[in-house]
Amino acid sequence: MKKRVLIVLIVMLFTKAEAQTSAFETIDNLIELGRYKIALQKLKSLPSSFEKETRMAKLFDVLDDYNKAILHYKKALAIKEDYKIKVKLGKSLLKEKRIKEVVTLYEEICEKDPENLIAKYTLGKRYIQLRKYEKAKTIFEDLIEKDGENPNYYYQLALTTPEYKKIFKRIDNYLMAYKLDNSHFKSIEKLAKGFTTIKDRDSAMLFVNKGLKLRPNHIDLNRLKINRLFAKKKYDKSIALLNHIDSVQPKERYTHIMLGRCYFNLENYDEAEKHFKLASNLDDEDFKSSIYLGDIAMIKKDTRQAMFHYISGTSRGKRKRDRAYMGLANVFTEMKMPKKVLDAYKNAVNENHKNYKALFGLAKQSDLYYKDKKIGYKLYKRYQERFAGKDTIADNYIKSRLKEIKKEYFLKGEEIE
């Protein structure tokens, strides 16, 4: 009797297992045919098992529902430890940017399988994301020791030293990555920017051009080339490249302000004005375009319009706006409003204490405006103490005025010092 019961139980278990296997085969076929909804319904009707949870997770993974995929991968791992499922869980966690969980999981994977270079590479990159640079550095140095022919390891190693003072060390690692793979674009881009930072312009342009051969539409590299051409006063070539990046990525403030500057320097003021207006409309903080527009209006002898633009420049942004105030001083000079000229120069000096032209303007206007010449005298002396040698014309003018003011007060029986 006992034997019969045992046989019945074995048959029942076998039948149940066979039924489940058959159900999973049906589900797998449905998934293969893209019948995800039906497959999901059938899976939900089955009791929890490792096979069910892994299939549920994979299904949600395919449907880009990574949170549900994570949930089912974790359920599967609670039933049975499985290396491949851990890796799949890690990928889903990455897609959801749950970086700390990724790190915990991949630390466990790397500890159990130190030869899994992909897991180590993934862990190293995550350490960089969390700014755990020393841990990342150890991993990438180890990876280079195991496989020194992989350029990505040198590239990532460079990222473990983000401090400015270690820029040369970073450049060395980017160069190693480039040496191993001349088409390693990320390293080429970093080398172009790195050499620009250390002012090695020839090397910077070498890598800018290499990068643009690989990706002609790359915005940042095109901008680096435009900046260099502009510095060399090659405005026509700058304009050609600016029009190119405008076709790739239109309505960028940088593009229009640089087009404005190029046309301004070519004395094509109508085109310059058009682009500065576009740049100004694209950025509420853009006071520089307002200053240029004010300068153009002054060149065109339109003082009212110039005043409007300079005032706009003083009210935009949080950076130093001394040039806008100096523009206003020029407008008020044309309009013969000496007190407003004085106030504009005061504002320019307050905005930027390093602007020697503003201080000279304030000193000269104070000398012209006030009957008490001691006010201008003190400002001239302040200029001499801080900015002597900056401008020969200003130096000679101040030297002459100091002498005259001193003589004037001496004749009155007063001494100035």
Side-chain angles (χ1 to χ4, degrees):
M1 184 70 181
K2 286 181 181 179
K3 283 184 180 179
R4 281 184 184 178
V5 172
L6 187 60
I7 290 165
V8 170
L9 285 170
I10 290 168
V11 169
M12 284 175 68
L13 286 167
F14 181 77
T15 306
K16 190 178 178 182
E18 195 175 52
Q20 273 204 339
T21 303
S22 175
F24 286 131
E25 283 174 359
T26 304
I27 289 162
D28 289 342
N29 288 331
L30 287 167
I31 292 170
E32 201 172 317
L33 292 168
R35 308 289 194 269
Y36 297 118
K37 195 171 182 182
I38 301 168
L40 198 56
Q41 285 171 347
K42 287 189 176 292
L43 278 168
K44 284 179 179 177
S45 68
L46 295 173
S48 181
S49 67
F50 179 80
E51 289 77 10
K52 172 194 170 173
E53 301 302 341
T54 54
R55 280 172 174 79
M56 290 277 282
K58 287 173 188 176
L59 194 53
F60 284 120
D61 224 336
V62 170
L63 296 170
D64 295 340
D65 192 341
Y66 303 119
N67 278 320
K68 283 184 182 174
I70 290 164
L71 176 70
H72 288 285
Y73 280 133
K74 286 182 175 180
K75 282 183 178 181
L77 288 167
I79 296 166
K80 185 174 83 173
E81 278 283 311
D82 187 280
Y83 179 78
K84 288 182 180 178
I85 295 303
K86 275 189 178 179
V87 172
K88 288 182 186 294
L89 170 60
K91 288 177 180 177
S92 292
L93 286 166
L94 266 177
K95 286 169 185 173
E96 277 298 301
K97 297 180 181 177
R98 289 161 65 168
I99 305 303
K100 288 183 180 178
E101 288 181 68
V102 174
V103 166
T104 302
L105 184 69
Y106 273 89
E107 282 176 339
E108 191 181 321
I109 291 170
C110 291
E111 190 178 338
K112 288 186 177 179
D113 184 6
E115 296 307 309
N116 187 333
L117 303 190
I118 293 171
K120 277 194 170 183
Y121 181 67
T122 304
L123 180 59
K125 289 202 292 182
R126 302 295 78 80
Y127 278 143
I128 290 172
Q129 273 185 278
L130 295 174
R131 298 181 182 181
K132 295 182 176 182
Y133 298 119
E134 284 304 314
K135 286 188 174 184
K137 185 181 175 185
T138 302
I139 282 180
F140 290 115
E141 284 176 343
D142 181 55
L143 287 169
I144 287 167
E145 198 175 315
K146 286 182 166 68
D147 177 13
E149 298 301 308
N150 190 327
N152 290 308
Y153 297 160
Y154 287 98
Y155 175 82
Q156 295 295 336
L157 182 61
L159 300 181
T160 66
T161 53
E163 304 93 330
Y164 177 78
K165 63 183 179 181
K166 293 184 180 177
I167 189 168
F168 292 99
K169 199 169 188 178
R170 282 199 300 281
I171 286 172
D172 286 343
N173 283 311
Y174 293 137
L175 282 168
M176 273 302 300
Y178 171 74
K179 186 179 176 183
L180 291 166
D181 178 2
N182 294 153
S183 64
H184 198 269
F185 183 80
K186 288 190 289 185
S187 292
I188 291 169
E189 184 189 3
K190 291 287 188 182
L191 285 165
K193 290 178 178 179
F195 282 123
T196 299
T197 301
I198 63 172
K199 294 184 170 55
D200 184 345
R201 295 182 178 88
D202 291 338
S203 297
M205 285 311 298
L206 176 74
F207 285 100
V208 164
N209 289 326
K210 284 179 185 293
L212 289 174
K213 276 186 181 178
L214 294 170
R215 297 188 191 176
N217 295 336
H218 193 271
I219 300 297
D220 285 349
L221 290 183
N222 272 294
R223 285 180 176 182
L224 287 175
K225 188 164 186 174
I226 289 160
N227 292 343
R228 185 70 186 129
L229 289 169
F230 184 87
K232 293 172 86 171
K233 300 185 179 180
K234 295 183 178 180
Y235 303 124
D236 289 326
K237 287 185 177 180
S238 297
I239 288 167
L241 273 182
L242 284 160
N243 285 327
H244 170 66
I245 64 170
D246 188 48
S247 68
V248 176
Q249 192 172 300
K251 295 183 179 178
E252 286 290 311
R253 175 188 170 271
Y254 167 87
T255 305
H256 289 292
I257 200 166
M258 286 302 291
L259 279 166
R261 291 175 72 191
C262 288
Y263 284 119
F264 185 88
N265 288 330
L266 290 170
E267 297 183 8
N268 186 342
Y269 299 120
D270 288 338
E271 277 296 307
E273 185 176 24
K274 180 180 83 177
H275 288 289
F276 284 129
K277 281 180 178 177
L278 284 167
S280 184
N281 290 335
L282 289 168
D283 183 3
D284 291 338
E285 296 281 306
D286 177 19
F287 64 91
K288 288 185 179 179
S289 292
S290 297
I291 294 167
Y292 273 110
L293 288 166
D295 292 345
I296 291 167
M298 284 296 285
I299 289 164
K300 292 181 175 181
K301 307 293 183 186
D302 188 344
T303 51
R304 286 179 67 84
Q305 194 65 21
M307 181 167 64
F308 167 77
H309 288 304
Y310 288 134
I311 289 171
S312 174
T314 63
S315 63
R316 283 172 173 251
K318 296 176 183 177
R319 289 168 289 176
K320 292 182 174 67
R321 296 159 294 182
D322 45 309
R323 268 203 64 204
Y325 284 117
M326 288 183 72
L328 273 176
N330 292 333
V331 170
F332 292 135
T333 300
E334 287 285 321
M335 295 173 76
K336 301 190 179 345
M337 301 171 75
K339 180 66 171 70
K340 287 191 177 291
V341 174
L342 192 69
D343 291 340
Y345 278 125
K346 280 180 182 176
N347 286 329
V349 171
N350 289 335
E351 193 75 18
N352 183 5
H353 296 292
K354 293 180 181 179
N355 188 333
Y356 66 93
K357 290 182 180 178
L359 181 57
F360 176 64
L362 176 61
K364 190 175 179 181
Q365 187 62 19
S366 298
D367 186 11
L368 291 167
Y369 184 76
Y370 294 112
K371 287 182 181 178
D372 183 357
K373 299 302 173 187
K374 290 177 185 176
I375 296 169
Y377 187 91
K378 285 178 182 177
L379 289 166
Y380 285 138
K381 291 295 282 183
R382 192 202 302 178
Y383 181 97
Q384 275 191 332
E385 288 166 9
R386 295 190 62 198
F387 301 121
K390 282 275 187 184
D391 185 327
T392 307
I393 294 170
D395 287 347
N396 291 337
Y397 181 88
I398 287 170
K399 192 175 178 182
S400 173
R401 278 303 293 151
L402 286 172
K403 193 174 180 182
E404 287 169 7
I405 293 168
K406 205 170 182 180
K407 183 179 178 181
E408 185 182 330
Y409 275 87
F410 177 76
L411 292 172
K412 290 179 183 178
E414 291 183 45
E415 283 192 18
I416 302 178
E417 275 306 340

